[in-house]
Amino acid sequence: MRRLRSSTVVLGGMGVLAATITSCGSEPDRRCVDPLTREKLPSYECESGSGNGSGSSTRGSYYYGGSVSDNRVSGGSFDKTAVDTGGFGCSGSGGG
């Protein structure tokens, strides 16, 4: 019994440490997505090209947060500031 209790404390402490490390200042997940269909695209579809004279050479936009199911995104936003990245002990404002 005593050994189980101490290993539980160690595992709980590891969870708190992991949450602290990954919470403040972390960026939300970023995916390249077709803004019309919300289909996940390869990352090169969002990177600006060298320009070919016919306007933008990309068809995708970055989508922040959310999840992917059946190669389509949901639950996030195309606006990075709209995605909550705060966590344990984080302030909502950027200070300054």
Side-chain angles (χ1 to χ4, degrees):
M1 279 295 211
R2 192 168 185 90
R3 185 174 189 182
L4 175 65
R5 214 175 299 144
S6 65
S7 65
T8 302
V9 169
V10 169
L11 289 175
M14 295 291 279
V16 170
L17 178 62
T20 302
I21 290 172
T22 61
S23 61
C24 283
S26 64
E27 293 287 320
D29 290 338
R30 180 175 82 167
R31 299 171 178 90
C32 185
V33 172
D34 184 317
L36 299 177
T37 64
R38 298 222 175 184
E39 177 186 358
K40 186 175 181 284
L41 301 172
S43 61
Y44 66 82
E45 292 285 353
C46 286
E47 296 166 359
S48 59
S50 58
N52 56 8
S54 63
S56 176
S57 61
T58 61
R59 80 176 227 220
S61 296
Y62 285 115
Y63 188 85
Y64 300 94
S67 60
V68 179
S69 178
D70 296 327
N71 207 38
R72 301 211 186 271
V73 296
S74 64
S77 175
F78 287 102
D79 180 8
K80 182 178 179 180
T81 60
V83 179
D84 180 25
T85 59
F88 181 74
C90 292
S91 169
S93 62

